[in-house]
Amino acid sequence: MARTALVTGGSRGIGAAISKALKAEGHNVAATYAGNDEAAAKFTAETGIKTYKWNVASYEESAAGIARVEQEVGPIDIVVANAGITRDAPFHKMTPEQWHEVIDTNLTGVFNTVHPVWPGMRERKFGRVIVISSINGQKGQFAQVNYAATKAGDLGIVKSLAQEGARAGITANAVCPGYIATEMVMAVPEKVRESIISMIPAGRLGEPEEIARCVTFLASDDSQFINGSTISANGGQFFV
Ligand code: CAA
């Protein structure tokens, strides 16, 4: 069944692959972005997927943006909280600003994205909440105290929402990508990246489309009984 989907951070990286895959499933998709107007315009021109600019760290901007999407595209049935940033630094060098920036975007951003769509999902008795967490929320990561905290927090969010939404036909699940070939991973110093790849049994980085396939599965009407779960897609790098 064709539904309306919102993907935050949906015009680049893993988010872009998710937006495209949901569209290919026949859904009406809206993608948000934070700042890169050029990339968003290019993405819309190439895919026909509407893009909306707001900062997920702001509740006011998120609520206003979501109201606009619901007016222009339709009531949101599928929400993919994907927007995320890194501000990596060893803990002894991590600044309070680096901590707060990542918490505000990656963790509070999930609250800000899901909270405004939740009442409508409850009313319509259907919803799919999918949060893009990370392998580093499962295992921790050198220089990512801030990021790992948010990604572990995502798992607490979906496990709680799963219990609250189940009787209203809403499921909440997480996907934990491992290291995927995106700008975020390419920003890791080459030597460090090579050593990370050597620890992935698959011997390679993942592709964004491999994460998108997990999302389309969780977003489908058929996945109603899958609720509160975590799909790890990391090439065998880490098992929970
Ligand atoms: N494990 C153990 N030691 C490590 C390490 C690791 N993974 N990475 C770096 N170190 C060590 C270095 O060898 C170095 O040690 P020495 O001083 O003895 O040589 C020390 O830690 C680094 O100290 P620096 O003062 O040089 O560190 P820096 O302030 O320059 O920071 C860094 C460098 C930010 C840690 C950089 O190495 C880095 O970006 N590392 C990658 C972190 C990472 O994996 N991030 C994931 C990004 S991808 C992502 O987040 C997506 C996802 O969900 C998977």
Side-chain angles (χ1 to χ4, degrees), residues 83-215:
I85 58 169
T86 54
R87 295 291 181 267
D88 294 354
F91 188 56
H92 64 281
K93 290 187 185 171
M94 188 172 285
T95 63
E97 289 71 28
Q98 288 174 319
W99 167 261
H100 285 296
E101 227 183 315
V102 172
I103 297 289
D104 292 350
T105 302
N106 296 14
L107 189 62
T108 308
V110 175
F111 177 86
N112 295 344
T113 300
V114 180
H115 194 257
V117 303
W118 191 255
M121 289 180 169
R122 277 165 51 88
E123 261 170 47
R124 294 187 299 276
K125 298 271 178 279
F126 180 89
R128 293 283 181 269
V129 175
I130 299 149
V131 182
I132 306 304
S133 174
S134 165
I135 184 176
N136 292 344
Q138 297 173 302
K139 72 169 186 57
Q141 171 61 32
F142 189 101
Q144 286 202 312
V145 164
N146 49 5
Y147 184 87
T150 64
K151 296 300 180 179
D154 288 342
L155 305 183
I157 290 174
V158 299
K159 286 171 187 173
S160 303
L161 287 180
Q163 295 174 50
E164 293 197 24
R167 294 211 178 165
I170 308 169
T171 66
N173 293 286
V175 178
C176 284
Y179 283 76
I180 309 300
T182 61
E183 281 174 37
M184 185 183 271
V185 168
M186 293 309 169
V188 171
E190 195 179 350
K191 242 179 88 186
V192 180
R193 196 170 60 246
E194 291 306 321
S195 93
I196 290 169
I197 294 172
S198 75
M199 287 184 282
I200 304 174
R204 65 171 175 90
L205 297 173
E207 294 299 328
E209 292 71 23
E210 293 178 298
I211 304 306
R213 280 195 283 277
C214 301
V215 173

Side-chain angles (χ1 to χ4, degrees), residues 23 31 47 49-50 61 70 74 78 101 106 113 141 152 169 177 189 196:
K23 185 176 182 215
T47 64
I49 294 171
K50 276 190 166 186
E61 281 187 36
E70 294 211 311
I78 300 165
E101 227 183 315
N106 296 14
T113 300
Q141 171 61 32
I196 290 169

